[in-house]
Amino acid sequence: MLKKAAKSGRVDVLYKLLAQDPHLLKDLDTILIADTPLHVAARAGKNHFAMEVASLKPSLACKLNEDGLSPMHLALRNGHNGTARGLATVDSNLIRVKGKDRITSLHLVAEIGDIDLLEEFLLACPSAIEDLTVRRETAVHVAVKHQSLQALKFLFGWLHRKNMEDVLNWKDEEGNTVLHIGVLKNDLKAVELLINNVDNHAKNGNDMTAMDIFRRQSKSQNGEMGDILRRASLVSSFLNSLIRKRDQYLGFTVASQGLEIFTVDTRSIILVVAVLIATATYQAVLSPPGGYWQDNVDEHQAGKIIMSDFESSYFALLNSSAFCASVCTIIVLVMGLPFSFFLESSTLFISCSYFVSLLNTFPSLDKTTLSLLLLIGLVLGCVHLLAFEAHRRKRQQRKLRREHRKFSGTECNGQLPASARMRIELRIDWVCCSSSSHITGLDSSCWTQTRGQSDMPRVCLEWEKSGGY
């Protein structure tokens, strides 16, 4: 009788049966594996009935049936997204309930590729992104595996906004990162998206990098993918290592909104010292030690430097080394910061003018000295190229964040997106059809406020904190 009521969504029948047998739901809860009325309602898409049962007996919402599926799993597999939303409204921890093969609802949504549901689930319970299947797959692995590009883009942007990029380098049971899977699936778009943000030298359980997999499957692979992997290999590895070490040793931190900042003392001290050294070395070229001859005699001419050729060579090398080190320090400090492109362009122009002034001031340098100066100049040029590459990647990440905000609906001219409005409408509908005293509070790892009418305005606040408006 109860299952028939669940299938038809008869909430009135539910309460009549509970009045006759108050222990009806409690008895069902004693069975480890069971197809409960909540499963039946979720499978049929009966939102109100499912939410009533989940609030009356929350533990039934975590119970698995004989197929290893929870009510939320069934709702998603049968295309009843509204029911899944309703259950998540009752208790966001249901998003993390692990079914057969430890698959969560977030894994299913990543497989389906529903961007609205992904956004709602991650907004309700961000820690769900760390859940792993029995194959140690994250939701990102699942999105790449099923070639759900839109879901991958959304998750990629969300991870960057939350500063959880390390999740992209997590490996499944076979040691594959999401980049390995993208190459295995011959998914060019996914590889293009991931290549500069994942360790492309990481090896899987078969001791193979993404490039090794491409070479092994070269006959069936897209030729453009090989070009992408080759271009990224050396530069990405060095640049990522450089930025990571800078962040570690110089106190570089990332704010919750994704804005990158130094601790003021560390950054200011190093930057001031580097600028002073660069200024002093540049000035030393314009006014070399000893000055210039003021008269014309047989041994020298007016306007020529007083230092000998030997002294000039050593001075030029040591001074240029100091100038190069200070400019490189400045570039590393400002790399990735706002307006860094203009600062790096300025240091490039200053470096070029420095070497022009050096050669004009010391015209009689020997070939060995000129060769070493050329090497120093090449080092400076390479550092600038790395800085410009870092700027290009930063622009790409900002573009992905903008796309993520579009997916999330945060660019909506001061209005909540449709998905957030739907959550509010569900909340109002739920409050109208059920007593708020039945509603279960959320775990502290997700939303911490208690459910009920008083928390409805807080949906706007939570949305604003997450980057909306």
Side-chain angles (χ1 to χ4, degrees):
M1 188 67 179
L2 186 55
K3 287 190 175 182
K4 288 183 179 179
K7 192 171 184 179
S8 58
R10 295 289 300 276
V11 178
D12 55 334
V13 175
L14 168 66
Y15 279 98
K16 287 180 181 179
L17 292 172
L18 288 175
Q20 296 172 7
D21 183 3
H23 299 289
L24 184 59
L25 295 180
K26 183 178 179 181
D27 293 340
L28 289 172
D29 194 31
T30 59
I31 307 172
L32 181 62
I33 301 294
D35 194 50
T36 68
L38 184 51
H39 289 83
V40 176
R43 189 184 294 111
K46 302 302 179 182
N47 301 6
H48 293 177
F49 192 98
M51 293 172 71
E52 288 282 355
V53 175
S55 62
L56 290 169
K57 195 64 178 175
S59 57
L60 291 181
C62 301
K63 194 171 291 295
L64 306 182
N65 65 6
E66 62 273 13
D67 295 321
L69 301 174
S70 71
M72 188 175 285
H73 286 94
L74 285 171
L76 291 170
R77 285 192 180 276
N78 288 277
H80 303 306
N81 293 349
T83 304
R85 287 186 176 99
L87 291 171
T89 303
V90 174
D91 185 357
S92 64
N93 279 328
L94 297 178
I95 297 168
R96 304 192 69 180
V97 171
K98 297 173 177 61
K100 185 180 179 181
D101 295 331
R102 294 179 58 84
I103 294 174
T104 67
S105 299
L106 189 67
H107 291 112
L108 287 180
V109 176
E111 177 182 340
I112 297 168
D114 190 315
I115 305 303
D116 288 335
L117 268 181
L118 272 178
E119 175 254 320
E120 291 178 42
F121 281 5
L122 288 173
L123 180 62
C125 194
S127 54
I129 194 67
E130 299 178 347
D131 290 332
L132 303 177
T133 68
V134 72
R135 298 178 182 84
R136 290 168 52 195
E137 294 173 332
T138 65
V140 189
H141 282 95
V142 174
V144 177
K145 187 176 180 180
H146 291 87
Q147 297 183 300
S148 180
L149 183 61
Q150 296 305 315
L152 173 61
K153 285 184 176 181
F154 178 87
L155 291 169
F156 184 86
W158 187 88
L159 288 169
H160 274 284
R161 289 188 68 193
K162 297 296 182 180
N163 309 309
M164 297 176 66
E165 296 93 336
D166 287 346
V167 173
L168 296 172
N169 285 309
W170 288 10
K171 297 181 178 182
D172 62 16
E173 66 176 356
E174 296 178 353
N176 290 320
T177 65
V178 288
L179 183 60
H180 287 99
I181 296 175
V183 176
L184 285 168
K185 292 292 182 179
N186 197 21
D187 192 337
L188 182 62
K189 294 294 184 181
V191 171
E192 281 183 317
L193 180 66
L194 297 168
I195 188 64
N196 292 325
N197 298 276
V198 180
D199 182 7
N200 48 54
H201 292 290
K203 295 184 178 182
N204 62 13
N206 295 322
D207 202 34
M208 299 179 70
T209 64
M211 177 59 83
D212 295 332
I213 294 174
F214 172 80
R215 288 169 179 160
R216 189 183 67 178
Q217 300 180 346
S218 57
K219 292 183 179 180
S220 59
Q221 293 282 8
N222 190 323
E224 294 181 35
M225 187 178 295
D227 296 335
I228 294 171
L229 292 170
R230 292 185 193 94
R231 283 198 305 269
S233 293
L234 182 60
V235 176
S236 291
S237 178
F238 181 77
L239 189 57
N240 291 339
S241 175
L242 177 65
I243 294 176
R244 189 162 49 247
K245 288 181 179 179
R246 179 199 67 177
D247 297 352
Q248 179 181 355
Y249 294 117
L250 299 183
F252 200 64
T253 58
V254 184
S256 59
Q257 288 80 16
L259 300 176
E260 296 164 334
I261 55 173
F262 279 107
T263 53
V264 177
D265 292 341
T266 305
R267 178 182 179 275
S268 298
I269 292 171
I270 297 176
L271 193 57
V272 166
V273 172
V275 170
L276 285 175
I277 294 174
T279 304
T281 52
Y282 195 99
Q283 183 62 35
V285 169
L286 299 178
S287 302
Y292 300 89
W293 294 108
Q294 303 297 320
D295 55 353
N296 290 316
V297 295
D298 295 338
E299 299 173 349
H300 56 260
Q301 296 178 341
K304 297 295 183 181
I305 59 173
I306 295 176
M307 284 193 298
S308 66
D309 292 344
F310 178 79
E311 293 172 337
S312 298
S313 296
Y314 270 90
F315 173 80
L317 285 175
L318 295 174
N319 194 74
S320 298
S321 298
F323 178 82
C324 176
S326 61
V327 171
C328 288
T329 301
I330 294 171
I331 293 172
V332 171
L333 284 173
V334 303
M335 190 181 295
L337 295 179
F339 305 106
S340 60
F341 176 77
F342 300 104
L343 296 173
E344 291 153 1
S345 299
S346 299
T347 57
L348 177 61
F349 299 145
I350 287 291
S351 299
C352 292
S353 65
Y354 169 85
F355 283 103
V356 171
S357 300
L358 181 70
L359 295 176
N360 185 61
T361 304
F362 303 99
S364 58
L365 295 174
D366 58 74
K367 292 183 178 179
T368 303
T369 303
L370 289 174
S371 300
L372 293 173
L373 289 174
L374 177 62
L375 181 60
I376 293 173
L378 288 175
V379 171
L380 261 178
C382 290
V383 172
H384 278 93
L385 288 176
L386 284 173
F388 293 141
E389 174 64 13
H391 174 73
R392 185 189 68 81
R393 295 185 183 189
K394 206 69 181 176
R395 287 184 59 189
Q396 184 184 38
Q397 289 180 5
R398 285 197 295 268
K399 181 180 177 182
L400 288 168
R401 288 193 182 108
R402 285 196 298 270
E403 289 182 0
H404 172 260
R405 285 195 289 269
K406 288 180 181 178
F407 283 136
S408 302
T410 55
E411 296 179 358
C412 52
N413 301 321
Q415 295 183 352
L416 281 176
S419 55
R421 290 198 299 272
M422 186 176 297
R423 284 195 295 277
I424 295 176
E425 290 167 3
L426 266 173
R427 187 77 53 77
I428 295 171
D429 193 18
W430 172 232
V431 170
C432 289
C433 72
S434 175
S435 171
S436 62
S437 62
H438 294 313
I439 302 177
T440 308
L442 295 181
D443 186 80
S444 60
S445 63
C446 305
W447 292 347
T448 56
Q449 69 269 24
T450 55
R451 297 284 181 175
Q453 278 186 301
S454 61
D455 77 330
M456 288 165 59
R458 298 190 186 182
V459 175
C460 299
L461 179 60
E462 287 297 322
W463 184 263
E464 185 176 5
K465 286 181 179 179
S466 68
Y469 294 116

